Structure formats: C-alpha cells, structure tokens
Amino acid sequence: MRGTQRLAATLLDGSGLRLLECLRLRAKDIDLESSAGWVPLPGGLDRKYPHAGQEWGWQWVFPGTRVHRDPVSGRGWRHHLHESSVQRAVTEAVRRSGIAKKASCHTFRHSFATHLLESGYDIRTVQELLGHRSVRTTMIYTHVLNRGGLGVRSPADDL
C-alpha cells in the first residue's frame, strides 16, 4: 500500500479505530500544526461560528480528492476520504501478499485488540479503548489467545 491509504491503514492497525472513525478524524482530534480550506461543520456550528469551517482544527486528517460546491455560499469544500478507497487498497494489498485468509479494514481493529491482550493488558482496558458497551463483546478476543477465557498469566510464566 502507498500514500494516504497506507497511512490510514497504519492508523487503523495502531489504534483500533473503525474505518469511518479514522476517516472522520479532524485535525483538532490530534496534535498537528498546518492550514487548509473550508469544511462543513456538524449541526448548526457553521451558523454559530461562521469562520470555524476554515480553522485548521476542523479540517479532515484524510480529506477527499473531490471538491464540492456549497449551494448556498458557493464555497468549495472537501468531504473526508471515502471509505471505499481504503477498503479497495487493503483488499488489493491482501490479494498481492498471498494471504489466503479473508482480511479487511476491520481486521486491523481485531488485531489491535488481540495484540493488547497478548501484551498483558486487562480486558476492561481493552473494552474501554475499543468503546465496547459490554465486556462480553471484548471477551471474543480472548478465544484466540490460547490462554483460557480470562487470559490470565501465572507469575511462574515470567521465571
């Protein structure tokens, strides 16, 4: 993979974000310095703060390539990168790698959770990081660890 799609996939792998959570990141969600054009704001924020759509913090981290025109203001704006762009790039990378198992953008989220559990993080921490309401959802990842349902390590394992 290359370019923006590679960066997005790397972020998916290293953060456990869902694809649209990743693509909907705004600059204000991370610590960066730069500037960009205008973006539409959620809700009525554009009426309350008419120039906020030009502020760096509201810009998409992964902007789309197509410029749209706002019918009211006439301003050009970009939406975030479309998810199908990253999905196609991941699918092609999996195909080229020769991996026989099915893998998708969501596989990175599963991999993130599994790696955390393998590294000794407790199930509640993983639950919170993934945003699961129920720990039962997070418990699914313990099945691949081959350490029993709780993923408990004995102190003797470190001897």
Side-chain angles (χ1 to χ4, degrees), residues 108-145:
F108 293 121
R109 182 172 169 84
H110 296 307
S111 176
F112 175 78
T114 302
H115 288 306
L116 287 177
L117 291 169
E118 286 174 336
S119 296
Y121 287 88
D122 66 278
I123 194 83
R124 296 288 182 182
T125 299
V126 177
Q127 174 192 3
E128 186 175 333
L129 287 172
L130 294 179
H132 292 159
R133 287 188 195 133
S134 169
V135 74
R136 293 182 69 184
T137 305
T138 315
M139 291 289 288
I140 293 168
Y141 299 109
T142 62
H143 294 21
V144 297
L145 296 179

Short mmCIF file of all heavy atoms in Angstrom, two decimals, residues 108-145:
data_model
loop_
_atom_site.label_atom_id
_atom_site.label_comp_id
_atom_site.label_asym_id
_atom_site.label_seq_id
_atom_site.Cartn_x
_atom_site.Cartn_y
_atom_site.Cartn_z
N PHE A 108 -7.90 -4.99 11.19
CA PHE A 108 -6.92 -4.24 11.97
C PHE A 108 -7.41 -3.99 13.39
O PHE A 108 -6.64 -4.02 14.34
CB PHE A 108 -6.59 -2.90 11.30
CG PHE A 108 -5.87 -3.04 9.99
CD1 PHE A 108 -6.42 -2.54 8.83
CD2 PHE A 108 -4.63 -3.66 9.92
CE1 PHE A 108 -5.76 -2.64 7.63
CE2 PHE A 108 -3.96 -3.77 8.72
CZ PHE A 108 -4.53 -3.27 7.57
N ARG A 109 -8.70 -3.73 13.53
CA ARG A 109 -9.28 -3.50 14.86
C ARG A 109 -9.18 -4.77 15.71
O ARG A 109 -8.80 -4.73 16.88
CB ARG A 109 -10.73 -3.05 14.71
CG ARG A 109 -11.45 -2.72 16.00
CD ARG A 109 -12.80 -2.10 15.67
NE ARG A 109 -13.65 -1.97 16.82
CZ ARG A 109 -13.62 -0.97 17.68
NH1 ARG A 109 -12.76 0.00 17.53
NH2 ARG A 109 -14.46 -0.93 18.70
N HIS A 110 -9.51 -5.91 15.10
CA HIS A 110 -9.40 -7.18 15.81
C HIS A 110 -7.95 -7.46 16.20
O HIS A 110 -7.66 -7.91 17.31
CB HIS A 110 -9.94 -8.33 14.96
CG HIS A 110 -11.40 -8.23 14.66
ND1 HIS A 110 -12.37 -8.07 15.63
CD2 HIS A 110 -12.07 -8.26 13.48
CE1 HIS A 110 -13.56 -8.01 15.06
NE2 HIS A 110 -13.41 -8.11 13.76
N SER A 111 -7.05 -7.19 15.28
CA SER A 111 -5.63 -7.41 15.53
C SER A 111 -5.13 -6.52 16.67
O SER A 111 -4.38 -6.97 17.54
CB SER A 111 -4.85 -7.10 14.25
OG SER A 111 -3.47 -7.22 14.47
N PHE A 112 -5.57 -5.28 16.69
CA PHE A 112 -5.19 -4.34 17.75
C PHE A 112 -5.61 -4.88 19.12
O PHE A 112 -4.81 -4.94 20.05
CB PHE A 112 -5.85 -2.98 17.48
CG PHE A 112 -5.64 -1.96 18.55
CD1 PHE A 112 -4.42 -1.28 18.66
CD2 PHE A 112 -6.65 -1.66 19.45
CE1 PHE A 112 -4.22 -0.33 19.65
CE2 PHE A 112 -6.45 -0.69 20.44
CZ PHE A 112 -5.24 -0.03 20.53
N ALA A 113 -6.87 -5.31 19.22
CA ALA A 113 -7.39 -5.82 20.49
C ALA A 113 -6.65 -7.09 20.91
O ALA A 113 -6.26 -7.24 22.08
CB ALA A 113 -8.88 -6.11 20.38
N THR A 114 -6.40 -7.98 19.97
CA THR A 114 -5.70 -9.22 20.28
C THR A 114 -4.28 -8.95 20.75
O THR A 114 -3.82 -9.54 21.74
CB THR A 114 -5.69 -10.14 19.04
OG1 THR A 114 -7.05 -10.39 18.65
CG2 THR A 114 -5.01 -11.46 19.34
N HIS A 115 -3.59 -8.05 20.09
CA HIS A 115 -2.22 -7.70 20.50
C HIS A 115 -2.17 -7.09 21.89
O HIS A 115 -1.24 -7.36 22.67
CB HIS A 115 -1.56 -6.78 19.49
CG HIS A 115 -1.20 -7.44 18.20
ND1 HIS A 115 -0.44 -8.58 18.12
CD2 HIS A 115 -1.52 -7.13 16.92
CE1 HIS A 115 -0.29 -8.94 16.87
NE2 HIS A 115 -0.96 -8.08 16.11
N LEU A 116 -3.15 -6.27 22.21
CA LEU A 116 -3.20 -5.70 23.57
C LEU A 116 -3.34 -6.79 24.62
O LEU A 116 -2.64 -6.79 25.64
CB LEU A 116 -4.34 -4.70 23.70
CG LEU A 116 -4.17 -3.36 23.00
CD1 LEU A 116 -5.43 -2.51 23.17
CD2 LEU A 116 -2.96 -2.60 23.51
N LEU A 117 -4.25 -7.72 24.37
CA LEU A 117 -4.46 -8.82 25.31
C LEU A 117 -3.22 -9.70 25.41
O LEU A 117 -2.83 -10.13 26.49
CB LEU A 117 -5.69 -9.63 24.93
CG LEU A 117 -7.03 -8.89 25.11
CD1 LEU A 117 -8.16 -9.65 24.46
CD2 LEU A 117 -7.31 -8.62 26.58
N GLU A 118 -2.58 -9.97 24.27
CA GLU A 118 -1.35 -10.77 24.27
C GLU A 118 -0.24 -10.07 25.06
O GLU A 118 0.62 -10.73 25.64
CB GLU A 118 -0.87 -11.02 22.84
CG GLU A 118 -1.70 -12.03 22.09
CD GLU A 118 -1.28 -12.14 20.64
OE1 GLU A 118 -0.68 -11.20 20.08
OE2 GLU A 118 -1.58 -13.19 20.04
N SER A 119 -0.27 -8.74 25.06
CA SER A 119 0.76 -7.97 25.77
C SER A 119 0.47 -7.83 27.25
O SER A 119 1.23 -7.18 27.97
CB SER A 119 0.89 -6.58 25.15
OG SER A 119 1.33 -6.68 23.81
N GLY A 120 -0.66 -8.39 27.69
CA GLY A 120 -0.97 -8.38 29.12
C GLY A 120 -1.93 -7.31 29.58
O GLY A 120 -2.17 -7.17 30.78
N TYR A 121 -2.49 -6.52 28.66
CA TYR A 121 -3.47 -5.52 29.08
C TYR A 121 -4.73 -6.24 29.55
O TYR A 121 -5.11 -7.27 29.01
CB TYR A 121 -3.81 -4.57 27.94
CG TYR A 121 -2.70 -3.59 27.65
CD1 TYR A 121 -1.68 -3.91 26.77
CD2 TYR A 121 -2.66 -2.36 28.29
CE1 TYR A 121 -0.65 -3.04 26.52
CE2 TYR A 121 -1.63 -1.47 28.04
CZ TYR A 121 -0.63 -1.81 27.16
OH TYR A 121 0.39 -0.94 26.91
N ASP A 122 -5.37 -5.67 30.56
CA ASP A 122 -6.57 -6.33 31.09
C ASP A 122 -7.76 -6.08 30.17
O ASP A 122 -7.79 -5.13 29.40
CB ASP A 122 -6.86 -5.85 32.52
CG ASP A 122 -7.24 -4.39 32.57
OD1 ASP A 122 -6.32 -3.54 32.57
OD2 ASP A 122 -8.45 -4.09 32.61
N ILE A 123 -8.72 -6.94 30.28
CA ILE A 123 -9.88 -6.94 29.39
C ILE A 123 -10.68 -5.64 29.51
O ILE A 123 -11.21 -5.14 28.52
CB ILE A 123 -10.77 -8.19 29.66
CG1 ILE A 123 -11.79 -8.38 28.53
CG2 ILE A 123 -11.49 -8.09 30.99
CD1 ILE A 123 -11.24 -9.10 27.35
N ARG A 124 -10.75 -5.05 30.70
CA ARG A 124 -11.50 -3.80 30.89
C ARG A 124 -10.82 -2.63 30.17
O ARG A 124 -11.50 -1.76 29.62
CB ARG A 124 -11.66 -3.47 32.38
CG ARG A 124 -12.48 -4.47 33.14
CD ARG A 124 -13.93 -4.37 32.80
NE ARG A 124 -14.68 -5.33 33.60
CZ ARG A 124 -15.96 -5.50 33.51
NH1 ARG A 124 -16.66 -4.81 32.65
NH2 ARG A 124 -16.56 -6.40 34.25
N THR A 125 -9.50 -2.61 30.16
CA THR A 125 -8.77 -1.56 29.44
C THR A 125 -9.05 -1.68 27.95
O THR A 125 -9.33 -0.68 27.27
CB THR A 125 -7.26 -1.67 29.70
OG1 THR A 125 -7.03 -1.50 31.10
CG2 THR A 125 -6.47 -0.63 28.91
N VAL A 126 -8.99 -2.89 27.42
CA VAL A 126 -9.26 -3.11 26.01
C VAL A 126 -10.70 -2.74 25.69
O VAL A 126 -10.99 -2.11 24.66
CB VAL A 126 -8.94 -4.57 25.61
CG1 VAL A 126 -9.29 -4.82 24.15
CG2 VAL A 126 -7.48 -4.88 25.88
N GLN A 127 -11.62 -3.10 26.56
CA GLN A 127 -13.04 -2.75 26.38
C GLN A 127 -13.19 -1.23 26.25
O GLN A 127 -13.87 -0.74 25.35
CB GLN A 127 -13.86 -3.24 27.58
CG GLN A 127 -15.32 -2.79 27.53
CD GLN A 127 -16.06 -3.04 28.85
OE1 GLN A 127 -15.48 -3.51 29.83
NE2 GLN A 127 -17.33 -2.72 28.86
N GLU A 128 -12.55 -0.49 27.14
CA GLU A 128 -12.65 0.97 27.12
C GLU A 128 -12.02 1.56 25.86
O GLU A 128 -12.59 2.44 25.22
CB GLU A 128 -11.98 1.56 28.35
CG GLU A 128 -12.16 3.06 28.46
CD GLU A 128 -11.60 3.62 29.75
OE1 GLU A 128 -11.54 2.88 30.75
OE2 GLU A 128 -11.21 4.79 29.74
N LEU A 129 -10.86 1.06 25.47
CA LEU A 129 -10.18 1.57 24.28
C LEU A 129 -11.00 1.33 23.01
O LEU A 129 -11.02 2.18 22.11
CB LEU A 129 -8.80 0.94 24.13
CG LEU A 129 -7.74 1.41 25.11
CD1 LEU A 129 -6.48 0.57 24.99
CD2 LEU A 129 -7.42 2.89 24.90
N LEU A 130 -11.66 0.19 22.93
CA LEU A 130 -12.46 -0.12 21.75
C LEU A 130 -13.86 0.48 21.80
O LEU A 130 -14.57 0.48 20.80
CB LEU A 130 -12.56 -1.64 21.56
CG LEU A 130 -11.25 -2.35 21.23
CD1 LEU A 130 -11.48 -3.84 21.10
CD2 LEU A 130 -10.63 -1.80 19.97
N GLY A 131 -14.25 0.98 22.96
CA GLY A 131 -15.56 1.60 23.08
C GLY A 131 -16.70 0.61 23.15
O GLY A 131 -17.84 0.94 22.81
N HIS A 132 -16.42 -0.61 23.60
CA HIS A 132 -17.47 -1.61 23.74
C HIS A 132 -18.32 -1.31 24.97
O HIS A 132 -17.78 -1.01 26.03
CB HIS A 132 -16.88 -3.02 23.90
CG HIS A 132 -16.19 -3.52 22.68
ND1 HIS A 132 -15.26 -4.52 22.71
CD2 HIS A 132 -16.31 -3.17 21.36
CE1 HIS A 132 -14.82 -4.76 21.49
NE2 HIS A 132 -15.44 -3.96 20.66
N ARG A 133 -19.63 -1.39 24.84
CA ARG A 133 -20.51 -1.17 25.98
C ARG A 133 -20.41 -2.32 26.97
O ARG A 133 -20.45 -2.12 28.18
CB ARG A 133 -21.96 -1.03 25.52
CG ARG A 133 -22.22 0.27 24.83
CD ARG A 133 -23.70 0.46 24.56
NE ARG A 133 -23.83 1.53 23.60
CZ ARG A 133 -24.59 1.48 22.54
NH1 ARG A 133 -25.33 0.42 22.30
NH2 ARG A 133 -24.64 2.48 21.71
N SER A 134 -20.31 -3.53 26.42
CA SER A 134 -20.29 -4.73 27.25
C SER A 134 -18.94 -5.42 27.16
O SER A 134 -18.37 -5.54 26.07
CB SER A 134 -21.39 -5.68 26.80
OG SER A 134 -21.23 -6.95 27.41
N VAL A 135 -18.45 -5.89 28.29
CA VAL A 135 -17.19 -6.64 28.30
C VAL A 135 -17.36 -7.96 27.54
O VAL A 135 -16.39 -8.52 27.04
CB VAL A 135 -16.67 -6.85 29.73
CG1 VAL A 135 -17.50 -7.90 30.47
CG2 VAL A 135 -15.20 -7.22 29.74
N ARG A 136 -18.59 -8.43 27.41
CA ARG A 136 -18.83 -9.68 26.67
C ARG A 136 -18.40 -9.54 25.21
O ARG A 136 -17.90 -10.49 24.61
CB ARG A 136 -20.31 -10.07 26.75
CG ARG A 136 -20.72 -10.45 28.17
CD ARG A 136 -22.14 -10.86 28.24
NE ARG A 136 -22.27 -12.15 27.52
CZ ARG A 136 -23.40 -12.76 27.33
NH1 ARG A 136 -24.52 -12.23 27.77
NH2 ARG A 136 -23.44 -13.90 26.69
N THR A 137 -18.57 -8.36 24.64
CA THR A 137 -18.12 -8.12 23.27
C THR A 137 -16.61 -8.23 23.19
O THR A 137 -16.06 -8.84 22.28
CB THR A 137 -18.57 -6.73 22.80
OG1 THR A 137 -19.98 -6.62 22.96
CG2 THR A 137 -18.19 -6.49 21.35
N THR A 138 -15.93 -7.68 24.17
CA THR A 138 -14.46 -7.70 24.19
C THR A 138 -13.94 -9.09 24.47
O THR A 138 -12.86 -9.46 24.00
CB THR A 138 -13.94 -6.71 25.26
OG1 THR A 138 -14.66 -5.48 25.15
CG2 THR A 138 -12.46 -6.44 25.08
N MET A 139 -14.69 -9.90 25.21
CA MET A 139 -14.26 -11.25 25.56
C MET A 139 -14.06 -12.13 24.33
O MET A 139 -13.33 -13.12 24.39
CB MET A 139 -15.29 -11.91 26.49
CG MET A 139 -15.35 -11.30 27.88
SD MET A 139 -13.91 -11.65 28.87
CE MET A 139 -14.16 -13.38 29.20
N ILE A 140 -14.66 -11.77 23.21
CA ILE A 140 -14.49 -12.54 21.98
C ILE A 140 -13.01 -12.69 21.64
O ILE A 140 -12.57 -13.73 21.17
CB ILE A 140 -15.24 -11.87 20.81
CG1 ILE A 140 -16.75 -11.93 21.06
CG2 ILE A 140 -14.87 -12.48 19.47
CD1 ILE A 140 -17.56 -11.05 20.14
N TYR A 141 -12.23 -11.67 21.93
CA TYR A 141 -10.81 -11.68 21.57
C TYR A 141 -9.99 -12.65 22.42
O TYR A 141 -8.90 -13.03 22.02
CB TYR A 141 -10.22 -10.28 21.66
CG TYR A 141 -10.90 -9.32 20.72
CD1 TYR A 141 -11.74 -8.31 21.19
CD2 TYR A 141 -10.73 -9.44 19.35
CE1 TYR A 141 -12.36 -7.44 20.32
CE2 TYR A 141 -11.37 -8.58 18.47
CZ TYR A 141 -12.18 -7.58 18.97
OH TYR A 141 -12.80 -6.74 18.10
N THR A 142 -10.49 -13.04 23.56
CA THR A 142 -9.73 -13.94 24.41
C THR A 142 -9.69 -15.36 23.84
O THR A 142 -8.80 -16.13 24.19
CB THR A 142 -10.31 -14.00 25.84
OG1 THR A 142 -11.65 -14.50 25.78
CG2 THR A 142 -10.28 -12.62 26.49
N HIS A 143 -10.59 -15.69 22.95
CA HIS A 143 -10.66 -17.04 22.37
C HIS A 143 -9.45 -17.37 21.51
O HIS A 143 -9.11 -18.53 21.34
CB HIS A 143 -11.93 -17.22 21.56
CG HIS A 143 -13.17 -17.18 22.39
ND1 HIS A 143 -13.25 -16.61 23.63
CD2 HIS A 143 -14.41 -17.65 22.14
CE1 HIS A 143 -14.47 -16.72 24.11
NE2 HIS A 143 -15.20 -17.34 23.23
N VAL A 144 -8.81 -16.36 20.95
CA VAL A 144 -7.67 -16.62 20.06
C VAL A 144 -6.34 -16.63 20.80
O VAL A 144 -5.30 -16.87 20.21
CB VAL A 144 -7.61 -15.58 18.92
CG1 VAL A 144 -8.83 -15.70 18.04
CG2 VAL A 144 -7.42 -14.19 19.46
N LEU A 145 -6.38 -16.39 22.10
CA LEU A 145 -5.14 -16.28 22.87
C LEU A 145 -4.58 -17.62 23.35
O LEU A 145 -3.44 -17.69 23.76
CB LEU A 145 -5.34 -15.37 24.08
CG LEU A 145 -5.67 -13.91 23.78
CD1 LEU A 145 -5.87 -13.15 25.08
CD2 LEU A 145 -4.58 -13.27 22.95
#
